Structures are given as C-alpha cells and as structure tokens.
Amino acid sequence: MARADTLAHARELERPELAYLVRFPTPDGVRETGLTWTELARDTAWATERLRGHGLASGQRALLTASGFEGFWGQAVIGALCTLRVTYGIAEAMGWDHRRTTVFHRELHPDAVIGLSAETLEGLSGTADVGEMFRPTRVVLARPAAVPVLRRAGVPACVLAAVGPALALECPERGGAHVNAAEWRVGERDGELHVAAGELRTSPLAETPLGIRGRVAGGRCACGSEDPRVLLAVADSSSSPRS
C-alpha cells in the first residue's frame, strides 16, 4: 500500500481522545493530568497567536530545542510553526546535544530560537560566544534559567516556561510570560505559583501548588492580551518591561 493510502486509511481509524499523560513536579511529588487532542488543538491555536505576535510568518526559519517528554507543549509549538508555515529544526534541550544546536543555528540562520535551556548555553560556552551567536537572532524564547545569561550577553530574550502542565510564553513587551486564561487558572500564594484546570479543560486538575517562585500579573498587557502573566523569580533580576 502506498504511503499516501496508508495515511489516508490511518486518518479514518478511531483513536483515543487522550493525546498525552502530562506528568509534572510539585512539592508533594509528581502529579499528572491528561491532555486530549481537542485540548492540544486549542493549545496549538493559542501558541500560534503568541508566535505570530513575535512576527513569525511564512518563509521564516526557527530552531526549537525541546525534549521528548515535553511533548505536551512541544507539540503545540510545532503545530504553531506548521500553521505559520515556518521551517524548523529540532535539537535536544539537554546540554549534551549543544553541538546540534550549533549546526542548526549555522545552517538554518533562524529567525527564531525557541526553548533555549541553561544546559545548552553551558555546553555552548566552551565553543562559542553565546552573545555573538544569538544577538543577530530576531526572536529568542528561552527557559527561565537561561534568560538572565542571555540578557547579560546582550540578547533580549523572552521567557518560555512550563508552569506545571501549562505553557507560559512571554510577548515582545517582556512584561511576564502569558498563560492561556481560557485553559488554566494560575495564581500565587506566599510567593509561589499554583495552577488549576480552567473551565474549558476536559482533563481535571484541582488547584495544585507548583513550588515555583514567582508572581502573577493581571490586567491588559501592552500587547493587547488579557491573559495573566507569570513573572518567575529566576528571571526577575534581569527582566523589565519595555517602554
């Protein structure tokens, strides 16, 4: 059977509504919640608008650094890049794969680098100047521990972070990382974040402390979004909203 016929047949088969079982750390141990295909489609649509807000568009190129277990947000970002018709390459976010990041960065000349980790930067530091490497990149979305390193090197990085099972993605205004308010309820207590499933979420999740230090900013962002923004403690020291 030809590949096209096989794929067409596969699309007709029934599949479980559950797409991922998302496991995430909390102060009381690992918790888990489901992620359905319908929820993933909505997460993808939200990520698409977030990346479009960074100016990503058809014909551009991106480098995504992510690990397989991060599929609950990685697939949403990949789906967003596909929707925007942005060509992308993927490298592992662990430090041992920093050479792949170097190769993709050199060959793709990416307009965006998404998901840079502190481990990747540490691996690169022995072979490259991360400032020289990423300053020409128009959009850099990095994990919280990597953001201060990049900003000290003159790279105006924005935050991308997993807040439990939710994805937090900072807009160009750099006033905190947005969380989809239609899907998640995020809050803070005693300087630490907690999260719960929103009304649209089929997969239940009661309010769950995350042990992540930070605060939540409400109100309308300068980018126009009404989504809440999380300001993570590790990035606060070098993060300030743009005027």
Side-chain angles (χ1 to χ4, degrees), residues 8 18 30-31 49 64 69 82 93 105 108 126 141 159 167 173-174 178 210 214 221:
L18 186 67
V30 175
R31 292 286 302 275
E49 292 309 307
L64 172 64
F69 68 89
C82 290
H105 195 272
L108 276 176
L141 299 170
V159 175
L167 175 64
E173 298 297 329
R174 284 175 48 186
H178 293 270
L210 298 173
C221 178

Side-chain angles (χ1 to χ4, degrees), residues 32-46:
E32 62 183 38
T33 185
L35 172 64
T36 68
W37 292 106
T38 301
E39 291 165 345
L40 179 57
R42 293 199 304 265
D43 291 346
T44 299
W46 180 83

Side-chain angles (χ1 to χ4, degrees), residues 133-221:
M133 187 172 180
F134 295 113
R135 276 195 297 269
T137 307
R138 191 169 57 80
V139 178
V140 177
L141 299 170
R143 298 158 194 264
V147 168
V149 178
L150 289 163
R151 291 184 182 172
R152 285 195 295 269
V155 181
C158 292
V159 175
L160 179 148
V163 180
L167 175 64
L169 205 161
E170 195 166 32
C171 72
E173 298 297 329
R174 284 175 48 186
H178 293 270
V179 175
N180 188 351
E183 303 291 332
W184 304 104
R185 292 186 287 110
V186 291
E188 60 180 277
R189 186 175 296 111
D190 298 327
E192 295 191 346
L193 301 178
H194 55 79
V195 67
E199 293 182 2
L200 292 180
R201 217 71 183 175
T202 303
S203 307
L205 182 68
E207 182 179 298
T208 304
L210 298 173
I212 298 174
R213 295 200 60 78
R215 56 191 178 91
V216 178
R220 188 179 182 85
C221 178

Side-chain angles (χ1 to χ4, degrees), residues 7-28:
L7 292 175
H9 180 66
R11 283 193 290 268
E12 296 174 357
L13 298 176
E14 293 185 5
R15 65 177 178 179
E17 178 57 14
L18 186 67
Y20 283 90
L21 187 62
V22 181
R23 308 183 81 236
F24 59 96
T26 75
D28 298 322

Side-chain angles (χ1 to χ4, degrees), residues 46-176:
W46 180 83
T48 300
E49 292 309 307
R50 292 285 97 208
L51 295 183
R52 183 177 282 122
H54 279 278
L56 293 189
S58 177
Q60 295 181 344
R61 297 174 297 276
L63 168 61
L64 172 64
T65 61
S67 299
F69 68 89
E70 298 174 315
F72 68 97
W73 67 259
Q75 284 299 318
V77 172
I78 288 172
L81 294 172
C82 290
T83 299
L84 295 169
R85 302 179 68 85
V86 173
T87 301
Y88 66 91
I90 301 178
E92 171 62 56
M94 301 298 182
W96 50 260
D97 201 35
H98 67 273
R99 289 185 178 85
R100 193 194 306 263
T101 296
T102 301
V103 171
F104 272 125
H105 195 272
R106 183 181 65 238
E107 299 298 327
L108 276 176
H109 301 289
D111 300 280
V113 176
I114 302 170
L116 269 180
S117 68
E119 291 81 4
T120 296
L121 294 181
E122 183 178 359
L124 292 172
S125 65
T127 59
D129 183 313
V130 296
E132 290 183 2
M133 187 172 180
F134 295 113
R135 276 195 297 269
T137 307
R138 191 169 57 80
V139 178
V140 177
L141 299 170
R143 298 158 194 264
V147 168
V149 178
L150 289 163
R151 291 184 182 172
R152 285 195 295 269
V155 181
C158 292
V159 175
L160 179 148
V163 180
L167 175 64
L169 205 161
E170 195 166 32
C171 72
E173 298 297 329
R174 284 175 48 186

